[in-house]
Amino acid sequence: MSVDFTIEDIRDGVLSASPHSGADKLGKLPDLTGVHKIGISGYKVNLEHLRQIAQVEGLNSLSLCSTGITDEGVRELDGLTELEELLLNFTEITDESIEVLLRLRGLKSLGVNSTRLTAEGVARLREGLRAQGCQVD
């Protein structure tokens, strides 16, 4: 079962979605013009969702916790230069995502708890993002 969103699901520039009514897949996203914060958790997102999210100008906060995102999905987020907060907790990302994450030069907060990143990978992220004042958890 999937859930679709409409423009009415966006309030004050924020799209927030978490499973309800047994839905486990994220359906079609609405036009995301003017959205600055997206919080999707518990749904399986696909590459098309991530491509749409990556096109949102001015997006500064993105939470994709428990979405099943992988390294391939993280590569779709490479152009989000204004992103200040990215939460990828409880996802399937590995050390292969490190280079993309290091290119997100606007990050101030990166959540990578309970992922498949190695301790060495997390240390590399902390070191690489420290100069821009990014907190890596």
Side-chain angles (χ1 to χ4, degrees):
M1 176 185 292
S2 68
V3 62
D4 291 327
F5 295 93
T6 65
I7 199 67
E8 289 77 29
D9 293 306
I10 299 173
R11 301 277 186 264
D12 299 319
V14 177
L15 172 66
S16 183
S18 59
H20 62 289
S21 304
D24 61 355
K25 292 181 190 170
L26 189 63
K28 184 173 176 6
L29 292 173
D31 175 13
L32 297 173
T33 303
V35 172
H36 60 84
K37 182 175 185 175
I38 297 175
I40 299 171
S41 98
Y43 288 111
K44 298 297 180 200
V45 296
N46 61 40
L47 293 178
E48 187 55 40
H49 294 131
L50 296 170
R51 287 180 190 121
Q52 186 178 356
I53 289 168
Q55 299 300 313
V56 177
E57 293 183 25
L59 186 65
N60 59 36
S61 178
L62 178 59
S63 176
L64 295 170
C65 299
S66 301
T67 57
I69 189 174
T70 63
D71 300 318
E72 185 179 14
V74 170
R75 285 191 289 277
E76 295 295 331
L77 305 177
D78 199 9
L80 290 173
T81 57
E82 296 180 47
L83 203 58
E84 295 177 2
E85 178 182 50
L86 178 59
L87 303 177
L88 299 170
N89 303 310
F90 302 99
T91 62
E92 300 298 314
I93 67 167
T94 71
D95 290 359
E96 290 184 32
S97 290
I98 292 173
E99 292 305 318
V100 172
L101 296 172
L102 290 174
R103 285 194 294 270
L104 300 177
R105 303 310 296 172
L107 282 182
K108 300 297 178 208
S109 178
L110 175 63
V112 292
N113 287 314
S114 299
T115 64
R116 297 179 61 204
L117 285 164
T118 63
E120 294 82 12
V122 173
R124 188 165 166 227
L125 283 169
R126 284 187 176 129
E127 180 64 29
L129 295 172
R130 180 186 351 232
Q132 64 198 50
C134 181
Q135 177 70 36
V136 178
D137 294 313

